[in-house]
Amino acid sequence: MPAVTLNGVQVEASQGTTILDLARQHGVWIPTLCYHPELSLNGSCRLCVVEVRGSRTLVGACHTPVAPNMVITTDSPAVLKSRRLTVELLLASHSGNCWSCDKANLCELRHIAVELDVGPLPITLRKPFRTLEALGAHVVRDPTKCVLCRRCVRACREIKGAGLLAIAYRGFSCKVIIGQDDADGDAACESCDVCVGVCPVGALSKRADRFVPKTGQPLVVAG
Amino acid sequence: MTEQRLVLQNCGRVDPANIDSWLAAGGFAALDRARAEHTPEEVIAWLKASGLRGRGGAGFPTGLKWELTSKSAGPERYVICNADEGEVGTFKDRYILERDPFTLIEAIAIACYAIGARRAFIYLRDEYRDLLPHLRNAIVAAHSSYPLGCEIQIREAAGAYVCGEESGLMESIEGRRGEPRFRPPFPPSSGLWAKPTVIQNVETLMNVPAIIRNGPEWFAGIGTAQSKGTKVFSVSGDVAQSCVCEVPMGTPLREVVEGIAGAHDIKMVQVGGASGRVVPSARLDTPLAYEGVLGAGAITVYGEGRDTIEIGLRTLEFFAEECCGKCSPCRQGCEALVGILERLAQSRARASDLSLLRDIADNMMLASLCGLGQAAPNFVVDTLQAFGDEYLARVLA
Ligand SMILES: Cc1cc2nc3c(=O)[nH]c(=O)nc-3n(C[C@H](O)[C@H](O)[C@H](O)COP(=O)(O)O)c2cc1C
Ligand code: SF4
């Protein structure tokens, strides 16, 4: 049972627990985008970064196991500044038509942005033009909304067992593709919906769900 | 001037296509000695005592890496020689591979003996494909003239800078997209195919036979307090003579760029390639050592009259091109930095662009998943400090 310090408080952690698990056990909020409890770890979105004393860089909470005597800070100014800037960078190339987006108030990226007090964007980035694509008969994909968290890629492989989705190209041109990124690449896709369920934003949706009014609380956007 | 050839001692003196000439120069003496006189634990203890640290950029103590790997559980372990040499301006590993492949093979065999590995890989940079037959012949010749105790295979890279990063390299050998992994776990406990793995730069390994032959005290007697031995550099840019040279650790940068490479009227020197640190001419006496500046061995000289912004833009364009795209701070950050530098280059940047430049750079250094994103802003950060007025001059009034 390693004893660690979480935001100034001594807590007990069981062997192998990640910083994220520990924080959640203690009611501490850490934003995550690529993390999904049903999927393998990925560590790519970098929104769950925290400060660990002695570490040169910030540390990803979702994939870093706690170690004895670790001193963890989840809400220091440096941590909050980093998360905010990363969200701003993601939003800067995001399609940005939230007011007509199918995901509406269920969008995890918007929730995180509100939580982190992200206001008008200071950054201008190229917004890549990409057309809508079909995944089988029932799923529609909008790559301009994709934040490259890869949950869909992992879900297709790890839950559906199909492994049809993949990451292609590199850098800012990265894209989730199906098949060889060609018109009939989705021939083997059964439109099982597993990927739609895990998408944190509106990049994947079911055709049938379009035009259906959203219920629940409207999301108040700060800034 | 002050050249001291330890890593490069056989380069030019043996025939790299003929193992007999290398054997006559004392080839396999170190492997012989390691096996006959030392247990694997003793070899590791010698390396630790020598103070040898990695030459591929990160400077991790080599003996400690081997010790951690040898103590990790499981029967299967691997040794990888990182010959991806992707850093802009480095051509010293190529120099070694061309001129002295046998000593490298001997070093790999010693590493396998020390950590108990039976298989080793040389991960060869795609652009060095022309060296393949040469290296294959060298491995065959070594195998047929001496029991190496391990099987050495060459793995061809596919041309991505990020595949020189150790975990991306392992993904690539395993046949997946070359993207870095999160750490921990580190390679000594879980590396190639999740087995304990030692991965070393070509030059790091080249030091090992010399340490076994001459003893750790001899090696520890060269260099500075925290940087033992010598360092091989590839020097290029605004110099009279581009060259590969080897000097003791701690040698002032000035001796290499002015003394050996014959540069003059220097504006700044980039030590460590595109991801390296920038040394302005006023600080040319900085020692080349882990406690000074070092990097992977590229020294790029920029003469007076070179435009800082233009170099910065080209540097960031390189990283934007080579960024794998896995993590958000680097993928989005490289693109954003290129945008700001383009505006600066065209003298149409806003005042807010400079603080944004700094914020994005800080975030990449702090939050990126791998060393590429963490080091990509180095040039911009260093020159903002040393040549800040050049940036300010390009901002719209
Ligand atoms: C983006 C990136 C590229 C790298 N490229 C190389 C390379 O081409 N050759 C190399 O030896 N190390 C490279 N490294 C360093 C390796 O990750 C690793 O630290 C090194 O191979 C370990 O060997 P050493 O301890 O002998 O230096 C790179 C690191 C990063 C982050
Ligand atoms: S820092 Fe850049 S190169 Fe490294 S994992 Fe992230 S996106 Fe890829």
Side-chain angles (χ1 to χ4, degrees):
Chain A
M1 288 291 259
V4 302
T5 309
L6 179 66
N7 293 342
V9 182
Q10 283 267 337
V11 296
E12 295 273 305
S14 47
Q15 200 69 44
T17 311
T18 62
I19 297 175
L20 180 67
D21 287 340
L22 181 77
R24 292 195 170 166
Q25 284 158 22
H26 290 84
V28 172
W29 180 75
I30 294 178
T32 56
L33 207 52
C34 67
Y35 173 82
H36 191 286
E38 303 297 325
L39 300 172
S40 64
L41 295 172
N42 186 306
S44 63
C45 77
R46 311 314 287 162
L47 288 182
C48 69
V49 290
V50 298
E51 239 175 74
V52 170
R53 188 179 291 168
S55 170
R56 185 174 50 85
T57 59
L58 298 175
V59 165
C62 74
H63 58 77
T64 305
V66 294
N69 303 319
M70 223 180 212
V71 180
I72 306 159
T73 312
T74 68
D75 56 2
S76 70
V79 166
L80 295 179
K81 186 174 176 188
S82 166
R83 289 180 189 158
R84 207 170 281 141
L85 193 68
T86 301
V87 168
E88 287 171 347
L89 283 164
L90 286 172
L91 285 172
S93 66
H94 191 70
S95 85
N97 51 348
C98 300
W99 47 89
S100 65
C101 177
D102 203 48
K103 201 74 172 187
N105 50 354
L106 299 178
C107 177
E108 292 180 31
L109 184 59
R110 286 185 69 201
H111 271 280
I112 294 170
V114 169
E115 217 48 63
L116 290 172
D117 228 358
V118 170
L121 296 182
I123 305 165
T124 45
L125 264 189
R126 202 150 50 87
K127 292 185 195 266
F129 173 77
R130 282 176 178 143
T131 48
L132 294 185
E133 293 173 14
L135 289 187
H138 304 297
V139 176
V140 190
R141 220 148 65 93
D142 183 349
T144 66
K145 292 178 185 166
C146 176
V147 289
L148 293 165
C149 70
R150 304 160 175 226
R151 284 192 197 169
C152 56
V153 175
R154 284 173 284 156
C156 186
R157 188 177 59 232
E158 295 165 18
I159 299 177
K160 171 69 176 166
L164 297 177
L165 297 172
I167 295 283
Y169 314 109
R170 62 185 189 188
F172 197 67
S173 310
C174 260
K175 188 184 163 214
V176 176
I177 61 157
I178 186 157
Q180 298 295 312
D181 197 21
D182 43 14
D184 54 0
D186 66 331
C189 172
E190 295 169 10
S191 260
C192 75
D193 284 1
V194 164
C195 56
V196 178
V198 297
C199 182
V201 294
L204 289 163
S205 54
K206 287 192 275 188
R207 282 181 208 263
D209 286 356
R210 305 205 133 200
F211 317 112
V212 177
K214 291 291 170 292
T215 52
Q217 289 297 310
L219 191 67
V220 181
V221 183
Chain B
M1 296 262 318
T2 51
E3 276 215 66
Q4 178 175 1
R5 293 202 151 206
L6 183 165
V7 168
L8 305 179
Q9 58 180 334
N10 286 331
C11 294
R13 288 181 46 217
V14 300
D15 178 359
N18 177 1
I19 195 164
D20 291 330
S21 81
W22 178 75
L23 290 172
F28 287 132
L31 182 56
D32 259 342
R33 180 160 185 201
R35 285 207 200 129
E37 299 174 22
H38 304 289
T39 62
E41 291 75 23
E42 281 167 5
V43 173
I44 291 173
W46 271 36
L47 271 193
K48 286 178 76 178
S50 74
L52 177 64
R53 291 168 64 178
R55 305 299 199 230
F60 192 84
T62 308
L64 179 59
K65 194 188 274 188
W66 292 19
E67 182 178 62
L68 292 170
T69 312
S70 72
K71 286 188 175 154
S72 293
E76 200 71 44
R77 326 156 178 269
Y78 303 105
V79 169
I80 300 175
C81 168
N82 188 343
D84 197 51
E85 193 162 53
E87 191 54 64
V88 181
T90 41
F91 42 89
K92 47 113 192 160
D93 291 345
R94 181 186 175 99
Y95 186 94
I96 294 168
L97 295 168
E98 278 174 351
R99 289 166 177 78
D100 190 12
F102 300 117
T103 303
L104 182 65
I105 292 167
E106 181 181 23
I108 293 172
I110 295 173
C112 286
Y113 171 70
I115 69 153
R118 281 167 308 187
R119 281 179 80 190
F121 298 90
I122 299 176
Y123 189 82
L124 184 70
R125 178 180 178 174
D126 177 50
E127 290 84 345
Y128 292 177
R129 204 179 295 152
D130 57 318
L131 296 180
L132 261 177
H134 163 74
L135 284 179
R136 285 213 181 102
N137 290 342
I139 293 172
V140 170
H143 266 300
S144 54
S145 53
Y146 197 87
L148 293 179
C150 62
E151 183 201 355
I152 302 176
Q153 290 179 352
I154 300 175
R155 283 287 186 272
E156 296 170 60
Y161 172 74
V162 73
C163 286
E165 194 281 337
E166 55 191 26
S167 61
L169 187 155
M170 290 172 196
E171 289 285 302
S172 162
I173 292 186
E174 290 177 23
R176 281 191 296 276
R177 187 178 155 88
E179 285 181 344
R181 304 169 177 169
F182 58 75
R183 274 148 293 173
F186 292 94
S189 56
S190 174
L192 189 59
W193 291 296
K195 300 291 190 294
T197 305
V198 154
I199 176 162
Q200 303 295 168
N201 173 256
V202 170
E203 183 190 343
T204 314
L205 286 167
M206 292 294 288
N207 283 289
V208 172
I211 293 171
I212 302 294
R213 274 198 310 271
N214 303 309
E217 298 81 13
W218 163 82
F219 189 83
I222 308 167
T224 70
Q226 288 164 49
S227 315
K228 302 302 185 188
T230 61
K231 181 79 188 83
V232 182
F233 291 102
S234 33
V235 193
S236 62
D238 295 328
V239 294
Q241 182 64 50
S242 309
C243 60
V244 171
C245 64
E246 181 175 0
V247 293
M249 287 279 193
T251 302
L253 176 59
R254 184 187 302 282
E255 278 190 37
V256 172
V257 293
E258 292 185 349
I260 297 176
H264 48 82
D265 299 328
I266 296 169
K267 174 172 181 174
M268 62 180 135
V269 182
Q270 208 174 8
V271 182
S275 68
R277 311 281 358 184
V278 176
V279 181
S281 61
R283 288 199 282 114
L284 280 184
D285 292 309
T286 309
L288 289 163
Y290 296 108
E291 52 267 58
V293 284
L294 200 62
I299 294 186
T300 316
V301 180
Y302 293 104
E304 280 168 10
R306 292 278 176 185
D307 179 5
T308 305
I309 307 293
E310 195 211 316
I311 305 168
L313 174 58
R314 271 194 290 118
T315 303
L316 262 302
E317 278 174 347
F318 168 78
F319 286 115
E321 169 74 24
E322 294 298 336
C323 154
C324 79
K326 182 170 179 178
C327 73
S328 339
C330 171
R331 180 185 67 240
Q332 309 288 103
C334 282
E335 181 73 15
L337 290 186
V338 167
I340 296 174
L341 285 159
E342 271 172 353
R343 289 200 288 278
L344 282 164
Q346 296 161 1
S347 295
R348 55 181 183 87
R350 290 158 291 210
S352 61
D353 275 342
L354 288 190
S355 60
L356 201 53
L357 191 68
R358 208 179 288 272
D359 284 347
I360 294 172
D362 280 351
N363 191 42
M364 286 172 73
M365 294 168 115
L366 278 177
S368 293
L369 181 63
C370 89
L372 189 151
Q374 289 162 14
N378 280 351
F379 182 89
V380 169
V381 169
D382 288 353
T383 52
L384 263 175
Q385 194 165 14
F387 302 100
D389 44 344
E390 286 188 50
Y391 285 83
L392 279 174
R394 307 291 186 93
V395 171
L396 289 174

